Amino acid sequence: MDRILELQELDGEIDRLERRREQLEAGEELAAARKIMEDAESRLGELRLALDAVERESARLEHEIDSMSAKLQVEEKRMYDGSIANQRELEALQHEIASLKERRAAAEDQLLEQMVRREDLEARAAEADAEVRAARAEVDRIGGSEADELEATVATLGERREAREALAALFDEELLELYEDLRRQKKGVGAAAIVDGVCQACHEKLSAVELDRLKHTDDVKRCEYCRRIVVFA
Ligand SMILES: [Zn+2]
């Protein structure tokens, strides 16, 4: 491989490693994983609060239904044990019994609604619980592997920079300057191979005339489209 492509490859790798090191130092992935975990925890917390409320309301309704049933039993007994002779009193009692039954039925409907709501909440809480556990595992995993990866990245960067320095020393100064200018202007890529007449940086196919001219020139070869330094592969 031509030396300039070797240099380009090293520089590309150094750029990638530096970006990765910055990411790792910023701890963005860990922060993002923590955010996901906190969101899942707060959803779970809300569901548990809602479940508590449903349980309290269910207990209250059950208690209400029990006491209405007990009262009904007493009133119905009074109705038939002959202790009330007065017709008006009897009618009042009948009215009271009918009203109690109505209120009890309404309370039973409400209790059923709470049971349905509870089932739904329990299913969602189980899902949220699984999400929280998965998110916690992810936070632990990223926290551990990020520290290792940062260490390895810094070490590799050191090696690559040394290799880059040694390689750059072999270049003609003007060519190196041109290459570095191009890298600054063109997203880090200053040199590329030409494969089957196509510039591998901008992916344009060079004209046959230009390809022929490039093959025979002693000047620095450059892509007629993107102006990068090119090398025939
Ligand atoms: Zn090009």
Side-chain angles (χ1 to χ4, degrees), residues 192 199-204 206 223-228 230:
C199 165
Q200 296 303 295
C202 69
H203 305 290
E204 292 286 347
L206 279 68
C223 170
E224 62 180 315
Y225 297 102
C226 68
R227 304 304 297 151
R228 289 182 176 95
V230 285

Side-chain angles (χ1 to χ4, degrees), residues 30-205:
L30 188 58
R34 281 215 181 95
K35 174 87 174 66
I36 289 170
M37 181 184 78
E38 281 159 13
D39 287 349
E41 281 173 344
S42 105
R43 269 200 306 282
L44 180 60
E46 276 165 25
L47 287 166
R48 282 188 175 147
L49 283 179
L51 261 170
D52 286 348
V54 165
E55 272 164 26
R56 272 197 308 278
E57 179 63 3
S58 298
R60 189 190 68 76
L61 286 166
E62 275 165 14
H63 179 75
E64 201 178 292
I65 290 163
D66 285 350
S67 73
M68 283 190 286
S69 294
K71 199 167 178 200
L72 260 172
Q73 219 175 357
V74 172
E75 303 288 53
E76 277 174 338
K77 200 173 163 226
R78 272 179 69 209
M79 181 91 191
Y80 301 112
D81 68 1
S83 61
I84 300 167
N86 183 307
Q87 184 61 27
R88 195 170 287 170
E89 224 177 294
L90 210 56
E91 276 171 18
L93 188 57
Q94 273 173 338
H95 186 76
E96 168 72 9
I97 288 170
S99 153
L100 264 172
K101 281 184 173 165
E102 222 171 88
R103 280 159 50 209
R104 189 177 61 175
E108 281 168 347
D109 285 348
Q110 285 175 30
L111 183 59
L112 200 66
E113 274 169 30
Q114 293 298 320
M115 283 162 72
V116 171
R117 188 162 153 68
R118 180 185 176 152
E119 260 177 46
D120 172 56
L121 285 169
E122 274 172 347
R124 284 161 59 198
E127 265 173 45
D129 190 51
E131 275 170 34
V132 165
R133 269 180 286 162
R136 279 185 190 146
E138 188 66 358
V139 165
D140 288 346
R141 187 189 68 75
I142 291 174
S145 72
E146 273 195 350
D148 294 345
E149 195 188 340
L150 181 58
E151 199 179 319
T153 302
V154 169
T156 312
L157 255 176
E159 285 166 22
R160 295 299 183 275
R161 283 217 181 94
E162 264 177 46
R164 200 266 180 205
E165 211 170 303
L167 186 62
L170 306 175
F171 280 81
D172 169 73
E173 223 168 276
E174 239 173 87
L175 179 64
L176 194 61
E177 233 169 75
L178 173 64
Y179 162 79
E180 281 170 352
D181 273 349
L182 286 167
R183 252 174 54 78
R184 271 191 292 277
Q185 291 164 30
K186 297 178 181 294
K187 295 175 182 168
V189 182
I194 292 185
V195 178
D196 297 330
V198 176
C199 165
Q200 296 303 295
C202 69
H203 305 290
E204 292 286 347
K205 191 170 175 62

